Amino acid sequence: MAAETTGEWRGWRAAAREALYGPAGFYRRPEGPAGHFRTSVHASPLFAGAVARLLCRVDEALGGPGELGFVDMAAGRGELVTGVLAALPAGVAARTRAYAVEIAGRPAGLDHRIEWLPEPPHGVTGLLFANEWLDNVPVDVAEVDSAGVVRRVLVGRDGTERLGEPVTGPEADWLARWWPLPAEEGLRAEIGLPRDEAWARAVGTLDRGLAVAVDYAHPAHARPPFGTLTGFREGRETAPVPDGSCDITAHVALDACALPGARLLSQRTALRALGVTGARPALALASRDPAAYVRALAGAGEAAELTAEGGLGGFGWLLQPVGVEGDADLFVDVPDDEEH
């Protein structure tokens, strides 16, 4: 056990935090996240357009405040917030105060209207949107040993693993409530407590409005038996190695993050409710205006990618209203039988 205290072996939470956000961390690299993986934001401007429509619905529910906040969590290089500002109606854009929250430095040439911050601002009235943020909030990993004891997984800088001390205290309580592990050797879980806490803090920065988390997710009835911890480098999935060379990510137990009044949807359902349907244009348009038909067909393809079952459409959306009457239906109204 001496190696655990020397820094040679650490839990995955500490190792990933340094590898992602330390001085030489992955998220401080100049190419940004887009250099290694493709999110919904990068897949199509239709995504930013849908978020802009959601912000307009939030604005309407809030009664058109004099200042409407939009907070883009884990903003990358500002792609989403830039797209949202461009898609807003002029009257709403004029009242919108936009924030990009990211640990990396402000990109050159970013719209001067966007405030670049390392932490979300407090006292915002509007929409906080966290696209693929929580999956990069580092968590520890637990594994069942040969005696049926749930132990913390320790990792070296090269990605080699070993089992450490038994999981106890609040982390053990979280596992028992949200991801109970049978006494079967080799079963694994990611301990999502830090994500629950991070999400609660982010939601707490809003005075009134809506907080939305969009991420790879799994529900309580279908937790993966061996966890989901993985890495990404240059567009390809790879072994998670905590040396700063790759992204380190794990799917999110969004149901555990949810606070009272929240609603969980699939991205497919949420985007369709926000006008992204993937419907093909009428063939008559091809003869009347071929260029418009080609543009509409390309848009339909992009919408289909954003809403594809088993792909981006399977992402989870966690909608958390704050300080407004009613529930998440005010913003994304879908039938109950379509909830995620």
Side-chain angles (χ1 to χ4, degrees):
M1 300 293 288
E4 295 176 30
T5 62
T6 65
E8 180 182 349
W9 296 97
R10 295 179 293 175
W12 267 107
R13 183 184 181 191
R17 183 168 54 235
E18 181 179 336
L20 295 177
Y21 307 116
F26 176 82
Y27 277 97
R28 297 189 186 273
R29 294 170 62 149
E31 70 271 19
H36 296 271
F37 52 85
R38 190 165 179 257
T39 72
S40 296
V41 178
H42 308 119
S44 170
L46 294 175
F47 189 80
V51 177
R53 287 190 289 278
L54 178 58
L55 179 58
C56 289
R57 294 187 185 183
V58 172
D59 181 51
E60 182 179 356
L62 294 172
E67 181 177 286
L68 177 68
F70 176 66
V71 182
D72 180 9
M73 295 290 296
R77 296 302 178 264
E79 298 95 337
L80 176 61
V81 63
T82 298
V84 168
L85 285 176
L88 287 174
V92 178
R95 291 184 288 107
T96 297
R97 187 170 181 180
Y99 306 91
V101 181
E102 180 60 66
I103 64 161
R106 182 186 182 95
L110 189 71
D111 191 318
H112 68 90
R113 294 174 294 172
I114 300 169
E115 296 184 46
W116 195 265
L117 302 171
E119 298 287 343
H122 285 262
V124 170
T125 295
L127 173 63
L128 180 145
F129 200 88
N131 185 63
E132 295 195 43
W133 168 52
L134 287 174
D135 68 294
N136 287 127
V137 172
V139 293
D140 274 316
V141 178
E143 182 175 321
V144 181
D145 70 9
S146 59
V149 176
V150 178
R151 295 184 176 273
R152 192 180 315 276
V153 176
L154 306 178
V155 62
R157 185 174 169 80
D158 64 353
T160 303
E161 293 183 338
R162 57 174 281 186
L163 296 185
E165 72 282 1
V167 177
T168 60
E171 292 178 324
D173 295 339
W174 188 93
L175 286 174
R177 169 67 180 86
W178 292 108
W179 198 332
L181 288 170
E184 181 179 333
E185 184 178 6
L187 295 182
R188 288 168 65 117
E190 289 103 29
I191 306 172
L193 181 60
R195 293 170 172 176
D196 298 359
E197 295 170 343
W199 180 241
R201 287 193 299 271
V203 171
T205 64
L206 287 178
D207 273 356
R208 290 195 306 144
L210 179 70
V212 179
V214 180
D215 236 311
Y216 299 95
H218 44 65
H221 67 270
R223 304 287 191 223
F226 303 106
T228 61
L229 186 74
T230 191
F232 283 93
R233 182 188 297 113
E234 298 177 354
R236 296 184 178 182
E237 190 168 8
T238 185
V241 178
D243 61 0
S245 67
C246 67
D247 185 28
I248 298 173
T249 177
H251 293 199
V252 183
L254 283 178
D255 47 1
C257 296
L259 301 168
R263 194 173 192 187
L264 283 165
L265 306 172
S266 70
Q267 174 156 298
R268 178 182 177 86
T269 298
L271 288 184
R272 285 186 166 187
L274 291 168
V276 180
T277 64
R280 292 173 63 90
L283 283 175
L285 181 62
S287 56
R288 187 172 69 250
D289 189 341
Y293 178 78
V294 171
R295 289 194 300 271
L297 194 62
E302 292 173 3
E305 180 183 2
L306 289 172
T307 59
E309 294 182 8
L312 293 175
F315 273 43
W317 279 47
L318 170 59
L319 285 75
Q320 188 73 58
V322 178
V324 292
E325 294 184 5
D327 57 22
D329 287 350
L330 283 169
F331 312 105
V332 180
D333 188 8
V334 298
D336 288 341
D337 61 1
E338 290 190 26
E339 289 197 43
H340 186 52

